[in-house]
Amino acid sequence: MTLFAFFVLFLLCFLALLVKIYRIDKYDGDRYKKAALSQQSYTNTVLNYQRGAIKDRKNTTLAVSIRKYNLVFEPKTLLASEEAREETLEAIASYFSVDRSRLEEALEKKPDSMYEHLDELKELDVQNVEGFRKKMETNKKIQGVWFEETYKRNYPLNSVGCNLIGFMSSDNQGTYGIEESYNEELSGTTGREYGYFDANMNLQRTIKEAKDGNSVVLTIDANVQRMVEEQIAQFQKKGVGAKQVAVMMMNPKNGEVLAMASNSSFDLNNPRELSSMYTEAQIAGMSEEEKNKNLMAMWSNFCISSAYEPGSTFKPFTIAAALDENIIKSTSSFNCTGSKKVADREIHCSNRSGHGLLDLRHSIMESCNVALMDIGLKLGRNKFSKYNHLYGLGQRTGIDLPGETSGLIHSNEELNPVELATSSFGQTQTVTMVQMLSGFCSLINGGSYYQPHVVKEIQNSEGTVLETIEPVIVKKTTSEDTSKKLRSYLKSTVEEGTASPAKVPGYSIGGKTGTAEKRPVSARKYLVSFIGCIPAEDPEAAIYVIVDEPRVEDQAHSTYATEFASKILKKVLPFLGQYASK
């Protein structure tokens, strides 16, 4: 009976305890849970993703994020054991050559923290980290230290393609170039590591992995890009030199940009360093406002962001429009006396003595302004304006780079006799290099205007192609017959006309020169240029060279651009699969 009574009493107590637990859980459970959880130490760590690479068409790496590590130490863990504290601080200070007092200071400021780091212990190389990890394995007294994975952007070729590639800002965002326009593709998704330290200081973890960014493959060839940039640097240092020099190359059959460069060059690994463009004395004399202004000018891409009057490289556009409208024919003739009276003005030809009687071929070969004014007059303001828009002038091309400008062309109403006359040979309207080269490619490829682009494909972090950028024909600009005639005229212009310095032995080249007088006219400043294609009969590559204000007294000579174009083509054509005939 005693045993039974004890059992009943025990059962009643147990039932009472269950009822009590139930009531606590129902009415005060959340409060007790929060109290218990508040006793524990939590971690919530961001797991960084690896930003996608930027590569050229032959898989040469132009930009890559390199794995680095930040050393993280736990003041709360270290302060719990004097022996661990001494061993750990001494090991960190000696191995990484950091002032121990900096570590001591961090412990004192945040003694309860489980996540602290110093600037001196950020972005550590993998080799250094592996060495310290081995040290930790052999010395178990080193505690409360771990390494957080991070990434640092690196540009292996330094300045090659700098204005095209762009760089990373201090807040890890793409700035300028591909880094900016494809920032979303290149960026991945950060992961998270959640965890808490239990009563035994064991870390209980939950990990959501980071997703790396996609890689971007460009249409350019790094070797061609590098050679073009080297030629520009030589032209500036050992050649004539100019205020601005820029070069673009494009595949006329698909709109792929093969090279894009100017004399504005900088080291992508140190983009805020002005020494590539200015002397130490010049930099020292700059105010902060001037430095920022010069930095933005250095970073900008002249080929897409600067507008200028093209000069006679515009003449093929006017002639193509007139041919398509059947206003002129190959047999049409023009009489140049050296100038033409337009309204109340006398507008001169480059040859003040006059070219005499010219057919259409020789009008472009000799770059006759009078002939072009006659053609412009026959076209009239309505048709001239229509073809301006058809060729994409005064409009952004939509190239996949940031910072493109549109230039400024005359509206239909603004094309009065003088404006129509001067515009016909490339003055009083402004364009960009990408506009001119894209339109020119359509004139020489049979009339297909391709969307210009610098990205060839998108790959995931494993190298699998996710998207291929297919050529996009935006519109038709000219007929095949007109295109064929233009190719023939352009070839004659290089072989026998004003563009003869652009010849390259063993190659068939077509092209047109340009000499644009800058405003104000009284300054006697000129922008000279050459636009051309190779091979002339069936172009596989097009080139456009700008030499703005050559450093000579007499600037009005397109020879500076044509000779420079010839030097570039000699270097790069074999790398583009174009070989000289024997």
Side-chain angles (χ1 to χ4, degrees):
M1 289 296 292
T2 302
L3 184 61
F4 177 74
F6 177 79
F7 177 75
V8 171
L9 181 61
F10 175 80
L11 186 60
L12 290 173
C13 290
F14 183 74
L15 289 172
L17 183 61
L18 287 177
V19 171
K20 183 66 174 176
I21 292 172
Y22 171 77
R23 290 176 62 83
I24 289 173
D25 184 60
K26 182 176 181 180
Y27 298 107
D28 291 308
D30 289 341
R31 180 167 63 85
Y32 282 109
K33 285 178 183 177
K34 290 177 181 178
L37 291 174
S38 67
Q39 309 271 331
Q40 298 173 327
S41 299
Y42 282 81
T43 62
N44 183 352
T45 306
V46 173
L47 301 179
N48 295 308
Y49 61 81
Q50 183 174 20
R51 187 175 176 86
I54 299 175
K55 298 180 279 189
D56 83 336
R57 65 188 304 119
K58 294 181 178 176
N59 222 35
T60 300
T61 300
L62 303 173
V64 65
S65 290
I66 298 175
R67 183 181 285 107
K68 298 283 186 177
Y69 290 91
N70 297 333
L71 185 147
V72 178
F73 56 95
E74 305 164 353
K76 187 172 184 178
T77 301
L78 294 175
L79 292 172
S81 167
E82 182 65 26
E83 187 177 32
R85 174 178 174 276
E86 287 300 316
E87 288 286 340
T88 303
L89 294 188
E90 182 58 33
I92 295 174
S94 60
Y95 188 87
F96 293 105
S97 301
V98 64
D99 189 347
R100 175 168 170 161
S101 64
R102 296 271 289 122
L103 297 165
E104 298 276 8
E105 184 181 350
L107 295 184
E108 292 174 7
K109 283 185 176 180
K110 295 185 179 180
D112 294 325
S113 173
M114 295 296 288
Y115 180 89
E116 290 300 317
H117 50 67
L118 300 179
D119 289 341
E120 301 95 310
L121 297 172
K122 287 183 178 180
E123 295 184 355
L124 301 172
D125 291 337
V126 174
Q127 294 86 345
N128 280 345
V129 171
E130 290 302 319
F132 193 79
R133 281 174 171 164
K134 289 179 181 178
K135 190 177 183 72
M136 291 173 67
E137 290 174 4
T138 57
N139 186 353
K140 298 302 181 182
K141 295 177 182 178
I142 300 175
Q143 298 177 16
V145 177
W146 50 282
F147 294 93
E148 176 183 66
E149 188 176 82
T150 188
Y151 293 91
K152 183 180 181 181
R153 202 62 166 169
N154 180 261
Y155 302 90
L157 301 186
N158 298 314
S159 63
V160 174
C162 56
N163 302 110
L164 175 66
I165 296 169
F167 53 92
M168 302 301 293
S169 66
S170 57
D171 58 353
N172 209 35
Q173 292 296 308
T175 304
Y176 290 88
I178 293 297
E179 293 280 28
E180 180 176 331
S181 58
Y182 282 82
N183 187 64
E184 189 173 338
E185 287 286 353
L186 291 164
S187 298
T189 305
T190 55
R192 287 276 180 179
E193 180 178 344
Y194 304 93
Y196 67 90
F197 291 88
D198 60 22
N200 296 318
M201 293 304 291
N202 295 316
L203 181 62
Q204 307 299 321
R205 295 179 177 178
T206 300
I207 298 176
K208 180 184 177 183
E209 298 289 350
K211 181 183 178 183
D212 294 336
N214 296 326
S215 293
V216 174
V217 180
L218 305 185
T219 59
I220 70 164
D221 182 319
N223 284 319
V224 173
Q225 180 74 22
R226 176 178 52 79
M227 281 186 256
V228 169
E229 291 178 6
E230 286 175 350
Q231 289 300 309
I232 290 175
Q234 286 183 24
F235 182 84
Q236 290 293 79
K237 292 178 182 178
K238 300 179 181 179
V240 173
K243 177 183 177 181
Q244 187 76 48
V245 182
V247 178
M248 266 194 78
M249 297 191 72
M250 187 180 287
N251 184 339
K253 295 184 175 180
N254 56 21
E256 290 183 351
V257 175
L258 303 174
M260 179 184 282
S262 72
N263 60 296
S264 295
S265 179
F266 59 94
D267 185 353
L268 287 166
N269 292 302
N270 193 8
R272 301 194 67 84
E273 176 58 60
L274 285 162
S275 59
S276 62
M277 298 292 292
Y278 302 94
T279 64
E280 288 185 13
Q282 287 174 323
I283 296 171
M286 294 178 190
S287 65
E288 284 304 311
E289 184 179 351
E290 288 172 329
K291 284 182 180 180
N292 289 332
K293 182 180 178 181
N294 290 329
L295 280 171
M296 286 188 285
M298 183 176 72
W299 296 333
S300 68
N301 188 337
F302 181 91
C303 299
I304 64 172
S305 64
S306 296
Y308 54 89
E309 295 182 30
S312 295
T313 49
F314 186 83
K315 289 175 179 176
F317 293 89
T318 304
I319 290 172
L323 285 170
D324 281 334
E325 288 291 330
N326 293 316
I327 291 170
I328 57 172
K329 298 179 181 179
S330 295
T331 55
S332 297
S333 60
F334 310 90
N335 185 31
C336 174
T337 60
S339 66
K340 183 178 178 67
K341 185 73 178 291
V342 180
D344 60 343
R345 308 225 186 140
E346 195 76 24
I347 302 177
H348 294 277
C349 187
S350 57
N351 185 342
R352 295 296 182 100
S353 302
H355 290 106
L357 196 63
L358 297 171
D359 62 10
L360 186 57
R361 180 184 298 273
H362 284 83
S363 294
I364 194 168
M365 284 172 62
E366 300 299 329
S367 197
C368 179
N369 288 351
V370 171
L372 267 293
M373 284 189 278
D374 287 344
I375 294 170
L377 181 62
K378 290 179 180 180
L379 266 173
R381 63 161 62 175
N382 292 335
K383 289 178 180 176
F384 187 85
S385 181
K386 180 187 81 171
Y387 278 95
N388 261 346
H389 287 90
L390 180 63
Y391 298 143
L393 306 173
Q395 310 158 53
R396 292 183 178 88
T397 64
I399 190 170
D400 46 351
L401 287 171
E404 183 183 10
T405 192
S406 59
L408 187 63
I409 63 172
H410 295 302
S411 66
N412 196 339
E413 296 74 21
E414 292 170 337
L415 282 170
N416 296 314
V418 172
E419 285 73 27
L420 180 60
T422 54
S423 296
S424 68
F425 58 83
Q427 295 277 183
T428 69
Q429 297 193 127
T430 62
V431 297
T432 64
M433 288 188 76
V434 68
Q435 282 176 2
M436 283 288 287
L437 192 56
S438 299
F440 179 77
C441 284
S442 75
L443 297 184
I444 60 173
N445 70 11
S448 297
Y449 186 103
Y450 285 95
Q451 178 90 44
H453 60 284
V454 296
V455 171
K456 194 174 183 66
E457 62 186 30
I458 307 295
Q459 301 175 350
N460 66 14
S461 56
E462 283 76 42
T464 302
V465 176
L466 301 177
E467 180 184 359
T468 299
I469 311 301
E470 300 292 347
V472 176
I473 298 177
V474 179
K475 54 193 169 184
K476 293 289 288 186
T477 61
T478 192
S479 67
E480 178 59 57
D481 182 60
T482 294
S483 181
K484 184 177 180 181
K485 287 175 182 175
L486 277 177
R487 293 195 298 268
S488 176
Y489 299 159
L490 293 169
K491 181 178 179 180
S492 297
T493 303
V494 172
E495 291 187 345
E496 306 172 55
T498 57
S500 59
K503 289 179 184 177
V504 179
Y507 291 92
S508 172
I509 297 175
K512 181 71 190 75
T513 58
T515 305
E517 191 171 24
K518 299 180 70 174
R519 309 291 181 232
V521 174
S522 58
R524 306 293 294 168
K525 302 291 186 183
Y526 291 83
L527 180 147
V528 297
S529 57
F530 172 78
I531 195 165
C533 54
I534 312 98
E537 297 79 8
D538 183 19
E540 297 286 341
I543 184 171
Y544 190 19
V545 173
I546 291 285
V547 179
D548 184 12
E549 296 186 23
R551 295 192 186 116
V552 292
E553 187 175 343
D554 185 9
Q555 298 180 359
H557 296 286
S558 60
T559 307
Y560 302 123
T562 48
E563 289 181 345
F564 184 44
S566 177
K567 288 181 179 179
I568 292 172
L569 291 172
K570 285 176 186 176
K571 292 283 187 181
V572 306
L573 286 176
F575 287 86
L576 295 175
Q578 301 295 311
Y579 301 99
S581 59
K582 296 181 179 180

